Amino acid sequence: MSDDDRVFKALADPTRRFLLDLLFARDGRTLTELESELEMTRYGAMKHLKVLEEAGLVVTRRSGREKLHFLNPVPIRLIHDRWIDKYTERQVSALTELKHELEGNS
Amino acid sequence: MSDDDRVFKALADPTRRFLLDLLFARDGRTLTELESELEMTRYGAMKHLKVLEEAGLVVTRRSGREKLHFLNPVPIRLIHDRWIDKYTERQVSALTELKHELEGNS
DNA sequence: AGGATAGGTGACCAAAAGGTCACATGTAAA
DNA sequence: TTTACATGTGACCTTTTGGTCACCTATCCT
């Protein structure tokens, strides 16, 4: 399986996107801490984190018996660059900002 | 199913990403033209295009008996904005440009 | 040492997704 | 008005994926 295939497949699941949201809010969490936020057993959470790690979206570091998880935003940026060229970026950006404002998320 | 779920699920399949690549290169193609680029029957191609359309990644317009397909980059930009905030964007962008250069894709 | 805590593996099952086919509708052109 | 062309639908099958469980390893603390 290619690198980008792993990234897109990893992002396809809502639980995994939620895990990225958690790490985006605060990095360096352990498996147990992340698992406690999910409606799922530890084994399910582990599988999801493994998928994210193999895709390079999450990087980890061992600290004693704990495993700390960190978000890696680089693959996300590469997605963006694939279908939005530098010439159209300005217009698209304007459109999405408008969308945010209309939704009250600005 | 939520909007963003549809987008991410649509992007999870390599055939659908290839279809987006084709439309990124040149817009306004018919189903038959797109299908001829795939190693698959017309029915498979139709299913994929339907998924892309329901996700809002592709918009269509009828012209007689033909259906023309166009790429819509807005949902892609929204993915980017979800996990890359304005403060870290500068650094991430620098990293990805470096990656492109190292791969000879600059 | 020994119990408690944090993380890991492989098998297993149900649900979802990718792909094909028989069949059907609408439009263009002779 | 036939004939060919472009697109559309529902059923069907196979493979992949999400989730759980029994069982296992490593680290910390008393």
Side-chain angles (χ1 to χ4, degrees), chain A residues 2-63:
Chain A
S2 68
D3 271 15
D4 71 320
D5 206 34
R6 264 186 286 270
V7 171
F8 285 108
K9 282 223 163 47
L11 292 173
D13 183 84
T15 300
R16 288 195 287 267
R17 292 197 298 276
F18 181 61
L19 284 168
L20 292 183
D21 288 339
L22 290 174
L23 294 178
F24 182 62
R26 181 165 51 80
D27 258 331
R29 310 206 204 193
T30 65
L31 164 64
T32 306
E33 184 179 357
L34 292 168
E35 177 256 310
S36 70
E37 305 274 347
L38 302 184
E39 307 279 319
M40 178 183 309
T41 64
R42 180 171 60 87
Y43 312 101
M46 268 190 50
K47 269 200 180 179
H48 285 306
L49 285 169
K50 185 180 181 187
V51 172
L52 287 170
E53 190 172 356
E54 288 177 345
L57 286 162
V58 164
V59 291
T60 61
R61 182 163 56 80
R62 298 288 310 214
S63 168

